[in-house]
Amino acid sequence: EAQVTQNPRYLITVTGKKLTVTCSQNMNHEYMSWYRQDPGLGLRQIYYSMNVEVTDKGDVPEGYKVSRKEKRNFPLILESPSPNQTSLYFCASSFEGPTEQFFGPGTRLTVL
Amino acid sequence: QKEVEQNSGPLSVPEGAIASLNCTYSDRGSQSFFWYRQYSGKSPELIMFIYSNGDKEDGRFTAQLNKASQYVSLLIRDSQPSDSATYLCAVNPPRGTYKYIFGTGTRLKVLA
């Protein structure tokens, strides 16, 4: 089944404890992206990747890191999480940007 | 001015009516336009995309693009209670960038 998977789906952590949210797609897509969704602010793009080893900032990259070492994986790293990073995070992929994106199921992160 | 604007709603329509959802964007050079549907607690899923001025129809859905006036709309004919969701408009800015800018979404309620 063609899909985008994210892990974990739910995470509660404390300020400053490094964490990684994984994202993987099995559709051989070139383009991958991370978003956060907050009430009243909608979906905001954090980082995106056009291909392996090619990444660029979206609109809200501060406090986040990404890497794209393999085509199928695009992990999101929070080196020192803070409470303002509490949000719902979505990973998405598309055959190539900018075309239709397929979204993962989401990761709900709470930083205490 | 926000880059992509949508009325947050809720937009309430009776079952069987036409629902009209609107989106305006600020960057005149924007190239690609997408409508996603998001059910509560779920990830966004693509409904339609449109690149050229005019109308594009797919089943009960019609996307309309007017680049001169910088708006894109989504019409849902014969609205069903199952169409009740939040509809997100997404825009890809001018050629050479690979960002997606999402509106905050319009919540649609179809009343049985």
Side-chain angles (χ1 to χ4, degrees):
Chain A
E1 180 190 356
Q3 59 183 349
V4 179
T5 57
Q6 295 178 229
N7 282 293
R9 295 289 312 281
Y10 303 90
L11 178 60
I12 300 175
T13 189
V14 295
T15 298
K17 186 176 181 182
K18 181 179 179 180
L19 67 92
T20 299
V21 184
T22 65
C23 173
S24 183
Q25 51 91 7
N26 62 1
M27 295 172 278
N28 201 36
H29 284 170
E30 303 276 339
Y31 185 97
M32 297 186 75
S33 182
W34 276 103
Y35 297 88
R36 60 178 291 173
Q37 188 171 39
D38 302 288
L41 297 176
L43 271 168
R44 293 179 292 168
Q45 195 170 31
I46 303 171
Y47 270 97
Y48 60 92
S49 169
M50 289 300 297
N51 211 326
V52 174
E53 303 290 4
V54 181
T55 63
D56 206 350
K57 297 177 181 178
D59 285 331
V60 288
E62 295 77 22
Y64 304 94
K65 283 176 59 176
V66 293
S67 68
R68 185 98 180 268
K69 293 183 168 53
E70 304 167 280
K71 195 172 187 178
R72 63 183 292 127
N73 296 323
F74 191 44
L76 180 69
I77 303 158
L78 284 72
E79 295 270 3
S80 183
S82 63
N84 64 12
Q85 293 178 298
T86 292
S87 187
L88 178 60
Y89 291 86
F90 287 104
C91 180
S93 73
S94 62
F95 179 67
E96 59 183 7
T99 56
E100 58 182 303
Q101 294 182 89
F102 295 86
F103 283 80
T107 295
R108 188 165 291 281
L109 171 65
T110 301
V111 183
L112 301 174
Chain B
Q1 181 190 8
K2 290 182 182 176
E3 292 183 81
V4 178
E5 293 207 55
Q6 297 180 256
N7 189 316
S8 61
L11 172 66
S12 295
V13 300
E15 184 176 357
I18 295 175
S20 178
L21 305 161
N22 298 312
C23 172
T24 59
Y25 59 94
S26 60
D27 193 325
R28 186 170 288 278
S30 296
Q31 298 289 320
S32 313
F33 307 86
F34 306 86
W35 282 100
Y36 288 84
R37 177 177 62 199
Q38 186 176 26
Y39 292 113
S40 181
K42 301 295 186 183
S43 53
E45 55 179 338
L46 184 75
I47 298 293
M48 293 195 70
F49 61 88
I50 187 166
Y51 301 143
S52 304
N53 270 332
D55 295 0
K56 180 181 179 182
E57 189 174 316
D58 184 2
R60 295 186 297 113
F61 300 95
T62 299
Q64 299 175 317
L65 175 61
N66 184 324
K67 288 189 175 181
S69 300
Q70 294 175 241
Y71 81 79
V72 55
S73 61
L74 179 70
L75 300 178
I76 306 175
R77 288 182 298 282
D78 188 24
S79 296
Q80 301 297 309
S82 58
D83 294 326
S84 297
T86 296
Y87 289 80
L88 305 171
C89 173
V91 175
N92 172 246
R95 205 180 306 276
T97 73
Y98 300 96
K99 289 185 179 181
Y100 288 85
I101 310 293
F102 278 80
T104 52
T106 298
R107 192 154 64 98
L108 173 67
K109 293 174 124 178
V110 180
L111 308 171

